[in-house]
Every structure is written in structure tokens, then in C-alpha cells.
Amino acid sequence: MYLFRVLFLLFVLTACSSGGNQPVAQIDSSEPSATSTATPASDPPTATAVPASTTPDPSPTTMPTITPTPEPTPTPTAVPPTATPQPPTPTPDPYAEYAQYTIEGLRARSYGEGTIEVLGLRSETAAFTRELFAYTSDGLRITGQLTRPRGQGPFPVVVLNHGYFPLDVYDTGYDTQHASDYLAARGYLCLAPDFRSHAGSDDAPNVFRAGHVIDTLNLLPLISQLPDAQPGPIGMWGHSNGGEITTKAILVSDQIAAALIYAPASPELADNYYAFHTDDVPGDPGTTATFPLTPEEAPDLFARLSPINYLQYVQAPVQTHWGTADVPVPREWVIKLHQGLLDAGKQSELFIYEGGTHSLQGAQQDLYLERTLNFFDQYVR
């Protein structure tokens, strides 16, 4: 088809260039198909006008905006907080009302309120004077004897705790005067409290034998008020029941530099209860301690009241004296205390006097007093 149109154009151009009067050759522009059949000519078809569509082109369809459905916020699963373990509820102390009399109870409280009053001269020698004094112990007025060396102080101090005497027999200075005189003549200021209910002191119960310990401990901080008392730690001496008081005092006070224990009651309270406070033990009911409970009723409480179970608290060296003919105090008691101190790693020495009685006499007394003086000279003076 393309070649035919080129040839036709060349023909027309040639004709025009020859004057334009030459007839124009009619050339069939139809390109017969090799397989087509000739079709007679027909009137040219009339072009049918296609009316313009009155339907406007559709506007592009606005696609609806699809708001994405928000993902649901996951609801957190409530995890219960881990409970903080609570400390176990302490078991109530069945003996709470008596806890103040136990060794731990004595250690937990404070001591020493008020002042020492020197009330007047009782007697005197060339080496010392004996005076009456008083002080306050838990609201009670407690009396005692002060044995003062002659000469210029300050003097080292020893507190002496007496043993058992019936209340209607006891007088200020009983059971301590022989040791006080000996030490005062050699330069020691000696104080011997009477304890509650004794001599001029106020009456009050000695519950579980702890009241006399409290009276002793309340005295110690007041000693520094005496102008002729040497500052610093003091010595302590105790006989019989006073030996038990001294044993308990050194578990509590750090003011005691040395403890002399002479024919002591047991360091286990149940022993003393059975020996001195049962109904079948004769004695003065006015001096027997108040026992609201017995060892059978409260063995745990009696253990807490007994110094044998708390010897780890001892800070002072201890020296003990005992005679083999001591009826009130069996060997078992002094061995129990001495060995208990050694087992606790404490300094303890025990002197045994063959045939010696509860209060040593004669040469044995002289020897024990000499040893006592050397002991206090080493640790107190």
C-alpha cells in the first residue's frame, strides 16, 4: 500500500508538469487481496452521526475513606503484687509481768536516781569512821553503813552485800562489818546497803530475789557524788545471799572492776528456792523472797532469772572463797559458778578452806581477808 501511494504521487506530479490537460489515469486504490472476490461498487455509506452523549462522564468515584479500626489496646492482666513477707508475729511472753526481774530485764533498765545522804556518825576508830547513809532505789529509801578511812581521799571504793538475817535481828552493818573494817583500815571507802525491808529501809517485796539486786545497782552510779570516792570502777564483795546479788550485779553493771564472792548462794535460782523458800524450810517469813511462781510452774522463767545462764555478760574478774564444812552452801554450788565462768572464758579463781564454815573463822578468816585485799589492790586501787 505504501509503494502504491508513492507511485501515484509521482504520476500526479508528472501530469501537472506536462500542462495539466492530460487525463488523469484512474487507478484503483483498492488493494486486491489475493483471496478476496470483487464486490460491485455501491453508494458510499452515509456517515451516521453519533449524537453526543448527554450523560456526563462519570466523575471518578470517590472511594470512601476507610477509617482503620484501631487495634484494641490489650487490657493488661492484673498481676497481684507479690506480698512482702511479714515477720512472724512474736509469741507473747507468758511471763511478761515478771520480765523486769530476769537477767535480761535487769540489764535493760537504768539505775541511779537521786543522791546519797550521809546522815551522821555511828562509831569511829583511829583508822576509820562508821556513818549512816541513805539513798533512793526505785522510789524506796534504802539505808546502809559507810565506813570511811581516816586521811585524805579520794579512796578506792568497795560495795559490800550482806547475807541472810531474820528481819527482827538484822541491824545496819551486820555480816559486812568485819570486811568493811579490814578494808577501810587499809584505805578503802566501803558502802554496805541494808536493802529493802531491812533496818531503816522502806518495806517492799523482794520478788524472785531480784529486789536486793536492784537496790545494789541503784547505789553504784551515786557513789561518784561522794567527794572522797575515787573516780572509776569499784570493787564488790558479797557473802551468802550477798554472793548471789554480786553474781547478778556483774552481769549488769560495767562499773564493777572486781567481784569477791564469799560462800555464795547458788547461781541457779531453783536451787535457792528449794533450799530456802519452800514451806518445809524453817525461817523468817519476813525475809523470804516473794515467789509468784515455782520452778515446777515456770521452769523457763526460772532459767531466765538465773545468772548461771548469762555468764557471758561478766566483765570483771571473780574470786570465790568457800569452806568444806559450809552447811547452807554445798560444794556443788560454788563449783557450778566457778566452772561456768571458766567455760564462758572469764577470769575466775576458787579458794577452798578445808573444814571452813559458812563464815570463816580464825586463821582461815585472816587468810581469806588477806587474799581479798590483794585481789582488790590488783584491780581496784
Side-chain angles (χ1 to χ4, degrees):
M1 177 65 74
Y2 176 76
L3 178 60
F4 174 79
R5 288 179 179 176
V6 171
L7 291 177
F8 177 76
L9 287 175
L10 287 176
F11 173 79
V12 172
L13 289 174
T14 301
C16 290
S17 62
S18 60
N21 297 317
Q22 297 296 326
V24 178
Q26 298 293 319
I27 298 174
D28 186 0
S29 61
S30 65
E31 220 175 13
S33 173
T35 59
S36 61
T37 301
T39 304
S42 60
D43 291 337
T46 302
T48 303
V50 178
S53 173
T54 58
T55 303
D57 291 336
S59 299
T61 303
T62 304
M63 297 297 290
T65 302
I66 300 174
T67 304
T69 303
E71 291 289 334
T73 303
T75 303
T77 303
V79 178
T82 303
T84 303
Q86 296 297 315
T89 302
T91 303
D93 183 357
Y95 309 115
E97 63 183 305
Y98 307 123
Q100 61 184 308
Y101 306 115
T102 65
I103 301 302
E104 293 290 2
L106 294 174
R107 287 175 55 83
R109 52 169 292 167
S110 59
Y111 299 93
E113 295 182 358
T115 59
I116 292 180
E117 302 175 70
V118 179
L119 303 175
L121 184 68
R122 300 190 77 214
S123 60
E124 59 184 324
T125 71
F128 52 80
T129 60
R130 302 188 189 101
E131 299 169 271
L132 187 68
F133 76 96
Y135 67 101
T136 300
S137 174
D138 286 10
L140 303 171
R141 185 175 185 271
I142 305 298
T143 57
Q145 182 166 278
L146 170 65
T147 307
R148 189 193 309 270
R150 299 284 189 181
Q152 293 295 318
F155 305 108
V157 178
V158 175
V159 170
L160 298 97
N161 299 316
H162 69 78
Y164 166 79
F165 278 85
L167 291 180
D168 58 353
V169 172
Y170 177 83
D171 192 14
T172 298
Y174 275 23
D175 195 41
T176 57
Q177 189 159 295
H178 73 286
S180 294
D181 289 353
Y182 182 88
L183 293 170
R186 290 157 181 81
Y188 283 86
L189 183 66
C190 298
L191 295 95
D194 292 325
F195 307 135
R196 59 190 63 191
S197 303
H198 287 72
S201 300
D202 290 342
D203 291 337
N206 181 26
V207 181
F208 290 117
R209 294 168 66 103
H212 295 174
V213 183
I214 293 168
D215 294 341
T216 300
L217 292 169
N218 273 321
L219 173 61
L220 302 189
L222 305 181
I223 292 172
S224 61
Q225 298 174 7
L226 299 172
D228 48 2
Q230 175 179 291
I234 57 97
M236 185 170 286
W237 175 102
H239 180 228
S240 193
N241 287 345
E244 178 193 358
I245 292 168
T246 300
T247 302
K248 290 180 178 178
I250 59 177
L251 303 179
V252 177
S253 176
D254 61 0
Q255 196 177 338
I256 304 168
L260 190 291
I261 297 177
Y262 174 29
S266 176
E268 196 159 359
L269 186 60
D271 291 341
N272 299 323
Y273 174 81
Y274 293 125
F276 307 126
H277 300 288
T278 57
D279 293 339
D280 57 351
V281 175
D284 177 13
T287 62
T288 56
T290 301
F291 282 88
L293 296 168
T294 68
E296 291 87 355
E297 294 169 327
D300 293 344
L301 176 61
F302 271 71
R304 294 163 60 188
L305 294 161
S306 298
I308 191 64
N309 299 313
Y310 298 90
L311 296 179
Q312 72 271 18
Y313 293 134
V314 172
Q315 299 183 44
V318 176
Q319 186 179 96
T320 303
H321 301 262
W322 175 78
T324 60
D326 189 334
V327 174
V329 176
R331 178 187 294 266
E332 173 192 350
W333 292 0
V334 293
I335 297 298
K336 185 184 298 187
L337 175 59
H338 173 61
Q339 191 60 51
L341 287 164
L342 294 178
D343 291 345
K346 307 305 178 181
Q347 183 176 336
S348 177
E349 57 182 343
L350 170 62
F351 293 102
I352 295 177
Y353 302 82
E354 192 62 38
T357 57
H358 189 57
S359 293
L360 298 172
Q361 303 296 319
Q364 290 183 334
Q365 183 184 62
D366 293 341
L367 179 56
Y368 120 76
L369 287 172
E370 182 182 340
R371 287 168 169 167
T372 298
L373 177 65
N374 293 337
F375 181 61
F376 287 143
D377 280 350
Q378 181 179 357
Y379 294 105
V380 180
R381 189 180 291 277

